Amino acid sequence: MERKIGLILTGGGARAAYQVGVLKAIAETLPRHTRNPFFVICGTSAGSLNAVALAVNARHFRRGVQILIKIWENSQPGNIYRSDLSGVFSNSIRWILGLMLGSIGINKFAGVSLLDNSPLAAFLAETLPCEKIQQSIDSGALHALSITASGYGSGQSVTFYQGAQEISPWKRARRLGVPTLIETRHLLASAAIPFFFPAVRINREYFGDGSMRQIAPISSALHLGADRILVIGAGQGGASPPERTQTDEYPSLAQIAGHALNSIFLDSMEVDLERLQRINHTIGTMSAELRQKTLLRHIDILVITPSQPIEKIAERYRANLPWTIRYMLRWVGAMRHGGANLVSYLLFEKNFSKALIDLGYQDAIKRQEEIRAFFGQQDKPPYKRQPLSSRRSRP
């Protein structure tokens, strides 16, 4: 029976570079000319950018990963948001005016956020040709791609998907699946980190980062037909929380914002994984006869998350941010001790990205036998790895 493997790429801003390192290790583990090994690809927030790159190049998985490596190893803040003095100053003024005028009912500056991400739209349009997604589906290399965003008006988690015709839309409490042609605007909406990037209008409402209110991030892959799930996260899943210590210093705005972003990007996935594990355990205790009568099914799942705290890595590279962004972040305490968590979501800088790619690669290589078993390769002789680089790839 064919394995219908679903890939879930979670959110996390600049932290999503970690996912590329894991994918690099997987590409080197599988045979060289392997087509996309993922039946379904689901992306949220910055993970949606990685998801689309794989979907566009589904007929050549290795090439898709090479393109991702090239994108992230050459990343710079200017590709994502304006970091020049004029851009930062004018946007800051507009943001302050928006707050002042909005309080008295004037919405002249509605849609202004802390950062101007207009460069991202042009970058995505040039780098990720979304019109090729359907070619991947028509060729049979991909069953479905989904991008999740959060509706500010409805409060619903909306999964926009493009896939085979037999897939049916779904509607559950606070979440639904909507068939559509994936475009750049869906990526911009899914990656619109609250407060930092502006909401994006799609059809009849405005959408923000898909990690918000995403109470069941694994469900989209299941609705789209996957029966085995690989989750590549951007936070330390299952890591022991630090010990509580006494502190007399009031938390900075950056610490509070970083804590809030962790809640948005990390907590819902951990809860959903725990729920799935309980279901799997329950099914395992049922008799064969009872299993046939229930709608529940066992889902094999493999989760790969960073083995090191990403905020600690961000501390080493936050000085590489443009001085304009450092100055702005210094106002909220992000450049002091405890502020690196917030910075890690905005640090779209090549040296930080390379460090995360290397971490993802090393984490996956350490679990290579587990990965081979997940892809059904354990009974085959190990494939001689041929290292991937980005030198020969072109977006």
Side-chain angles (χ1 to χ4, degrees):
M1 181 175 170
E2 183 182 0
R3 297 170 185 265
K4 297 179 179 179
I5 300 175
L7 172 66
I8 297 179
L9 300 172
T10 66
R15 292 169 170 236
Y18 174 84
Q19 298 168 350
V20 179
V22 177
L23 292 168
K24 176 183 177 183
I26 292 174
E28 292 182 3
T29 299
L30 299 177
R32 183 178 181 84
H33 298 292
T34 299
R35 293 209 302 177
N36 167 42
F38 302 107
F39 185 75
V40 168
I41 301 175
C42 304
T44 302
S45 190
S48 65
L49 280 60
N50 294 337
V52 169
L54 294 179
V56 166
N57 296 280
R59 287 175 289 180
H60 308 282
F61 177 63
R62 193 178 174 94
R63 171 179 163 80
V65 176
Q66 284 178 314
I67 289 174
L68 278 175
I69 295 171
K70 182 175 182 179
I71 289 173
W72 285 96
E73 287 190 344
N74 293 280
S75 63
Q76 52 186 332
N79 290 338
I80 310 300
Y81 48 79
R82 289 194 65 176
S83 57
D84 58 290
L85 178 60
S86 174
V88 172
F89 179 76
S90 62
N91 196 70
S92 297
I93 294 298
R94 285 167 56 85
W95 184 73
I96 293 171
L97 287 174
L99 289 178
M100 295 172 60
L101 296 177
S103 65
I104 58 176
I106 301 176
N107 294 322
K108 182 178 180 180
F109 294 98
V112 178
S113 55
L114 280 171
L115 295 173
D116 177 1
N117 69 338
S118 56
L120 179 59
F123 180 75
L124 292 176
E126 177 184 358
T127 308
L128 302 176
C130 292
E131 64 274 9
K132 292 186 178 181
I133 295 171
Q134 192 58 45
Q135 296 178 16
S136 296
I137 295 170
D138 292 340
S139 70
L142 177 68
H143 185 69
L145 165 73
S146 75
I147 304 297
T148 299
S150 180
Y152 280 115
S154 65
Q156 292 180 317
S157 177
V158 180
T159 297
F160 299 99
Y161 69 86
Q162 183 173 347
Q165 292 184 353
E166 63 266 25
I167 299 174
S168 299
W170 64 90
K171 186 174 184 179
R172 300 292 186 271
R174 293 290 181 184
R175 54 190 173 91
L176 66 156
V178 178
T180 190
L181 291 177
I182 301 297
E183 300 173 352
T184 298
R185 59 180 179 156
H186 296 98
L187 304 186
L188 291 171
S190 183
I193 300 176
F195 302 111
F196 288 98
F197 299 143
V200 177
R201 187 178 181 88
I202 299 177
N203 301 329
R204 58 175 177 265
E205 72 174 314
Y206 283 93
F207 288 87
D209 197 289
S211 296
M212 296 186 293
R213 309 200 75 170
Q214 192 182 28
I215 58 176
I218 299 174
S219 66
S220 296
L222 301 180
H223 280 294
L224 294 171
D227 55 22
R228 297 168 64 83
I229 306 292
L230 170 63
V231 178
I232 308 179
Q236 276 191 291
S240 300
E243 293 184 5
R244 295 176 62 191
T245 57
Q246 180 176 335
T247 177
D248 298 322
E249 184 178 355
Y250 190 83
S252 67
L253 184 58
Q255 284 179 284
I256 295 172
H259 183 76
L261 289 179
N262 278 353
S263 298
I264 291 172
F265 289 111
L266 308 181
D267 291 354
S268 60
M269 177 57 76
E270 291 180 0
V271 172
D272 205 24
L273 286 170
E274 185 177 343
R275 183 188 302 119
L276 181 60
Q277 289 167 356
R278 287 201 304 267
I279 293 173
N280 283 345
H281 176 73
T282 300
I283 295 173
T285 62
M286 293 180 178
S287 64
E289 182 180 359
L290 188 57
R291 288 181 195 176
Q292 294 178 350
K293 296 179 180 179
T294 181
L295 295 177
L296 298 176
R297 54 185 172 131
H298 184 280
I299 302 295
D300 290 329
I301 190 161
L302 176 63
V303 182
I304 302 178
T305 55
S307 59
Q308 300 176 26
I310 289 184
E311 60 271 19
K312 296 297 183 182
I313 301 175
E315 287 181 353
R316 304 201 303 262
Y317 298 100
R318 59 183 169 186
N320 294 351
L321 281 168
W323 72 268
T324 51
I325 303 301
R326 296 201 309 271
Y327 185 76
M328 184 180 71
L329 292 177
R330 190 172 286 115
W331 284 6
V332 297
M335 303 305 291
R336 302 199 307 266
H337 176 73
N341 212 346
L342 173 62
V343 172
S344 69
Y345 290 96
L346 303 173
L347 193 52
F348 294 92
E349 189 273 333
K350 62 182 181 180
N351 292 308
F352 178 60
S353 296
K354 289 177 181 178
L356 293 191
I357 291 173
D358 182 64
L359 176 62
Y361 181 81
Q362 297 301 329
D363 285 351
I365 290 299
K366 290 176 183 176
R367 300 177 63 181
Q368 188 173 24
E369 291 306 312
E370 199 176 349
I371 291 173
R372 279 173 49 80
F374 182 81
F375 284 99
Q377 300 284 318
Q378 73 273 29
D379 296 328
K380 301 177 183 178
Y383 176 70
K384 184 179 180 180
R385 292 208 318 269
Q386 298 186 21
L388 270 173
S389 71
S390 61
R391 295 179 180 177
R392 296 183 179 180
S393 62
R394 295 181 181 178

